[in-house]
Amino acid sequence: MLGHLALSIVIFCLADLISPVLADVEAYYQSDNYENGEFGEWPQQTYHSSHIIGPVVDFLQRSNRCDDGQYTMLSLRGGQVPSPGPMILDAKGNLVWRAEDYVQPYGLSKYTYKGEDYLTFWAGNDAIGHGEGMYYMLDSSYEEAFTIGAANGLRGDLHEFHITHDETALVTIYEVVQANLTSMYGPVKGWIWDGVFQELNIETGEALFQWRASEHFDFTEGYVARVGSGSKDRPWDFFHINSVDKDSKGNYLISSRYMSCIAYIDGKTGDVIWKLGGKKNMFKDLSGGAATNIRWQHHARFADNGTAITLFDNASRGPADPEHISRGLYLDVDQEKMTVNVRHEYWNPHNLSSQSQGSLQLLDSGNILIGYGSNPAWTEFSVDGEVLCDVHFGPQLGFGTSEVTSYRVLKHSWVGFPKTDPDITLQGNTTYVSWNGATEVVTWVLEGADSKAADEDEYLTIDSRPKEGFETEIPIPPDNVHRFIRISALDAKGIALGSTLSVEWDPSQNITTNGLDIQVTNTKWLVFFSTAFSTTIFLVIAWWASMRLLDRFQRAKKQKKKVSRGGIEDFIANEEFIDEVEFSLLQNADFHYNIDTLNEPQ
C-alpha cells in the first residue's frame, strides 16, 4: 500500500515538474471542465519570463459594464495555493501584480493617505482562526512605506485594516483576558478571546482610541456556545469582531459575527448607542424581518453619509448548521426613528453559501462588488441587483472546502511603477517579456545592438508589440542582424518607462537566456538529467511523506476511539475538532451547549 502511495506521489510530482509553461492563458468562459476541477483545484499558470504563478479565472457571466478601468484585488490563500500572496488582476482576469513574500495575507485594498495611494493588507499567523501579525502599506513602487502593529503591547488581527477619513487606521485585535463565565455554565475565573479594536496614528503607532467587547456585551447575547474548558490555553471566542468603520460624527460601526449583529459605538465613551440584528436588536424592521435577520455577517460599512449601511450576510457559519444562501445587503437606516429597511439585496446566481469571510463594496461606477470569502468567487451587480459579471478563481467543485479563498475581493484604481527592471527570457528565436506590477505599459519594443556595452542610442528598433496580459511574446524576425537583444516598455504617450537587461542571441543554437545569464541547452541531456535527479529526490520525499501519513492515520484512529468513548468534557478539551472554516466553531452540532438558536429567515 505504501509503495503504491509513494509511486503515486512521485508520478504526480514529476508530472507537475515537467508540465509545459502556460503563459498568459486566457480566462475561460462558462467552462464545465474548469468548474468540475479538470484543470486542478486551483487553476494556475506559469510564465517564461517570471517565476510568479498566476491564476486562471472562469467567467460565468461577463459584461463590459464591469470594465471601469479599475483592478480586482485579491488576497489569495488556501490549502491548494502553494504560495499565498496579495494580487491584482485586470478586467480580463490577467495577472497585473503579485507578491509572494508575505505569509498568509488578508484584505488587500487601496487607500489614499496624505495625497498618495497605497496598497494595504495584513499578513502574519492566522493558524488560530484570527491573526497575530502586521499591517502593511506599499507605495506605488511596491515598497513598504509603513509597517504598523497594534498598540499597547497587543498584536494586530487579520480581520480589519481600514484607513478613515481622518487618515487614521482602524484595526481589530483578539486578546486573551480573564472573565466570569458562570452565565455560560463556565468557571468564575475563565478565559476569553476578547474582541478589541483600536484607532491608530499611522506614523507613530499610538492608539487614539481602544474598545473591547467584554465591557459592553453580555456573553448570553451570542449564538455560539462556550467552546473550550475556559482555561487560559483554551479561551472562548464569544464575540468575533470582523469589521470596523468610522463616520463623520466620530462614532464607530462594528460587526460581531458570533452575536449576529452590528453595533454603533460612541467614539468618546465607548458606549453602545444601538444594535442592529441579534438578540437585542433595537430597530423596527420595515422589511418584515429581512433587514435584521442577519447571521454571521462580515464587512459592515456606512454609506450615503451615514444614512445607509452595506454588509455581506453569510447566513451560514459551518458544517454543523444549515447552509443558507449568502447575500449582500444595502440597508436604509433611520437613526432618529430607529427604523431599517432593505433597499437592495444581492443574490449570487448560483445560490452560494459562504460559511466564512466575504465582502461587499460600493464601486465608483455605482455597481456593487461582492466577494464570497471561503468560496473562490466574486460577482459584480448593478446597484439594483442585476448580475453583470460572475467570476470564479477556483472550480465550483471545491466550493465550501476553503482550499482556495480570498478574505475580501475589492476593486480600485491603481497606478504601479515598480523600481525593478522588466523581465526577459529568450528561447530560440522567441522573446518573452513581463513586468510585475507595471500598470502603465502599453507597448513593448524589441531592440537590438551589436555590443554588450552598447549605449542607449546604439539600440535600434527591431519590432514592437502591444502589451497583452501579464507576459507578451515577441518573435525575433528572420532578418535580424543584431547579436544583443533587449525589450523596452512604452506608455500611452510613447515615453520609455524601462528596459530589460540585454540577452545574447545566437540563431545557430538552442538557447534559453534570462538577462545576461546565458544557458546553451542540450535538450536531450537536460531532460534525462533533470528527470533522473527529480525522481531520486521525490522518491525520498514520498517515502518520508508516506511514513508521516501512516503515523497520522494511526493517531486519527486512536483519537476517533477516544471521542466515541468520551463525553462532552473530552470534546471540549480537544481543539483538533474545532471548525477551521471560521475559527473556533464546533463541527458537530451534537456537542453544542443548548444556549439559543436564531429564528428561521422570514
Side-chain angles (χ1 to χ4, degrees):
M1 175 180 175
L2 292 180
H4 288 294
L5 175 62
L7 181 60
S8 298
I9 294 174
V10 170
I11 292 174
F12 171 80
C13 293
L14 284 177
D16 183 67
L17 181 70
I18 63 177
S19 60
V21 173
L22 302 175
D24 267 346
V25 175
E26 291 186 1
Y28 292 98
Y29 184 75
Q30 298 182 351
S31 170
D32 290 337
N33 291 337
Y34 185 104
E35 300 301 333
N36 293 331
E38 295 186 23
F39 302 139
E41 294 183 87
W42 176 48
Q44 57 190 268
Q45 56 184 312
T46 55
Y47 305 95
H48 298 273
S49 59
S50 174
H51 69 280
I52 291 173
I53 298 175
V56 182
V57 305
D58 184 29
F59 282 87
L60 280 73
Q61 191 164 330
R62 189 170 183 177
S63 167
N64 57 14
R65 293 162 66 186
C66 300
D67 297 343
D68 53 8
Q70 297 192 339
Y71 297 101
T72 302
M73 298 187 176
L74 309 174
S75 302
L76 208 61
R77 40 180 285 279
Q80 293 300 317
V81 182
S83 54
M87 67 171 56
I88 298 174
L89 306 181
D90 66 17
K92 296 180 180 180
N94 296 311
L95 182 66
V96 174
W97 171 78
R98 182 176 183 186
E100 297 179 315
D101 301 328
Y102 297 95
V103 178
Q104 297 300 337
Y106 283 74
L108 178 65
S109 187
K110 187 213 79 171
Y111 288 96
T112 300
Y113 175 70
K114 294 190 174 180
E116 300 292 333
D117 290 340
Y118 295 90
L119 296 178
T120 65
F121 56 93
W122 175 95
N125 178 14
D126 68 344
I128 53 178
H130 33 87
E132 294 183 351
M134 303 294 289
Y135 307 97
Y136 296 90
M137 296 175 62
L138 308 187
D139 62 22
S140 61
S141 65
Y142 304 96
E143 294 189 343
E144 293 177 10
F146 299 95
T147 302
I148 306 165
N152 302 332
L154 303 179
R155 298 182 178 181
D157 167 57
L158 59 89
H159 285 91
E160 187 66 277
F161 180 40
H162 177 47
I163 297 180
T164 71
H165 54 81
D166 296 325
E167 297 195 321
T168 57
L170 295 173
V171 303
T172 50
I173 298 163
Y174 285 66
E175 182 185 13
V176 178
V177 299
Q178 199 165 48
N180 185 338
L181 299 180
T182 54
S183 63
M184 300 297 290
Y185 310 100
V188 174
K189 294 183 178 181
W191 295 86
I192 60 170
W193 285 108
D194 206 356
V196 180
F197 78 82
Q198 293 178 342
E199 183 173 6
L200 302 175
N201 181 307
I202 290 175
E203 294 187 0
T204 68
E206 174 191 2
L208 306 175
F209 185 84
Q210 179 172 298
W211 181 93
R212 61 178 62 248
S214 64
E215 296 176 352
H216 302 278
F217 280 77
D218 295 332
F219 296 140
T220 55
E221 292 184 56
Y223 292 100
V224 174
R226 180 177 61 83
V227 179
S229 61
S231 61
K232 190 172 184 178
D233 59 345
R234 294 290 189 273
W236 172 41
D237 182 3
F238 78 100
F239 192 74
H240 205 87
I241 188 170
N242 60 25
S243 72
V244 191
D245 196 10
K246 186 180 182 182
D247 66 8
S248 59
K249 299 176 183 178
N251 299 327
Y252 305 94
L253 182 71
I254 65 170
S255 168
S256 167
R257 174 173 166 87
Y258 289 175
M259 294 192 172
S260 289
C261 77
I262 57 178
Y264 191 44
I265 307 300
D266 189 296
K268 294 180 179 178
T269 66
D271 294 338
V272 177
I273 299 174
W274 52 250
K275 299 173 185 177
L276 193 159
K279 294 180 181 179
K280 295 188 177 182
N281 169 60
M282 299 169 65
F283 282 82
K284 180 180 180 181
D285 192 336
L286 303 180
S287 302
T292 55
N293 66 350
I294 55 177
R295 304 182 181 191
W296 323 107
Q297 75 289 333
H298 285 79
H299 204 207
R301 289 286 190 263
F302 283 117
D304 303 334
N305 296 317
T307 63
I309 290 173
T310 62
L311 60 90
F312 179 73
D313 180 15
N314 294 79
S316 296
R317 71 177 179 96
D321 291 324
E323 293 189 8
H324 297 298
I325 300 172
S326 303
R327 60 178 174 160
L329 277 177
Y330 199 151
L331 305 176
D332 289 312
V333 179
D334 189 327
Q335 298 187 49
E336 293 184 359
K337 296 180 180 180
M338 293 301 290
T339 60
V340 61
N341 184 59
V342 173
R343 183 190 302 186
H344 297 293
E345 289 179 298
Y346 303 98
W347 300 94
N348 183 275
H350 302 283
N351 296 330
L352 295 186
S353 176
S354 291
Q355 298 176 1
S356 74
Q357 309 165 74
S359 58
L360 186 152
Q361 180 189 15
L362 301 181
L363 299 177
D364 295 338
S365 65
N367 292 342
I368 305 294
L369 180 67
I370 292 183
Y372 290 91
S374 57
N375 291 318
W378 76 80
T379 305
E380 188 166 334
F381 300 83
S382 67
V383 70
D384 59 1
E386 178 189 356
V387 176
L388 303 177
C389 294
D390 189 29
V391 188
H392 291 179
F393 53 97
Q396 191 157 351
L397 180 69
F399 281 20
T401 65
S402 295
E403 289 297 305
V404 181
T405 71
S406 181
Y407 175 59
R408 291 173 180 168
V409 179
L410 305 172
K411 279 181 73 175
H412 292 286
S413 59
W414 178 248
V415 176
F417 292 104
K419 292 184 178 180
T420 58
D421 293 327
D423 295 308
I424 183 174
T425 289
L426 172 62
Q427 293 185 355
N429 295 323
T430 303
T431 60
Y432 300 89
V433 63
S434 62
W435 200 357
N436 187 28
T439 61
E440 304 307 291
V441 179
V442 173
T443 305
W444 292 111
V445 179
L446 181 67
E447 300 173 329
D450 299 324
S451 169
K452 182 189 301 184
D455 294 331
E456 285 293 319
D457 58 1
E458 296 181 79
Y459 277 94
L460 302 178
T461 298
I462 300 173
D463 197 0
S464 64
R465 294 291 171 92
K467 180 181 182 293
E468 295 288 346
F470 183 78
E471 182 176 74
T472 302
E473 174 183 335
I474 308 178
I476 298 175
D479 59 352
N480 174 58
V481 297
H482 302 288
R483 181 180 175 188
F484 291 92
I485 301 295
R486 75 174 189 183
I487 299 177
S488 294
L490 305 182
D491 67 10
K493 296 180 180 180
I495 299 174
L497 301 175
S499 301
T500 68
L501 297 177
S502 295
V503 292
E504 186 174 7
W505 175 66
D506 184 347
S508 66
Q509 300 187 60
N510 182 14
I511 297 177
T512 298
T513 18
N514 296 277
L516 287 174
D517 180 17
I518 300 174
Q519 299 175 350
V520 181
T521 304
N522 185 317
T523 305
K524 177 179 178 181
W525 284 104
L526 175 62
V527 171
F528 174 80
F529 175 78
S530 62
T531 302
F533 177 77
S534 302
T535 301
T536 303
I537 293 297
F538 282 110
L539 278 172
V540 173
I541 294 174
W543 174 83
W544 174 82
S546 62
M547 294 299 101
R548 290 292 301 273
L549 286 171
L550 179 61
D551 178 65
R552 183 175 181 181
F553 175 73
Q554 291 172 340
R555 285 189 289 110
K557 287 180 66 178
K558 292 179 181 179
Q559 187 62 55
K560 184 176 180 181
K561 292 179 180 179
K562 177 182 176 182
V563 172
S564 66
R565 293 195 304 267
I568 185 67
E569 296 80 5
D570 293 326
F571 180 81
I572 290 174
N574 186 355
E575 291 200 353
E576 289 185 12
F577 289 85
I578 301 273
D579 180 87
E580 295 179 357
V581 172
E582 176 88 20
F583 326 146
S584 307
L585 296 175
L586 297 178
Q587 287 184 339
N588 191 328
D590 294 338
F591 290 112
H592 287 185
Y593 286 110
N594 184 18
I595 302 300
D596 203 347
T597 57
L598 284 166
N599 295 325
E600 289 300 314
Q602 300 179 13

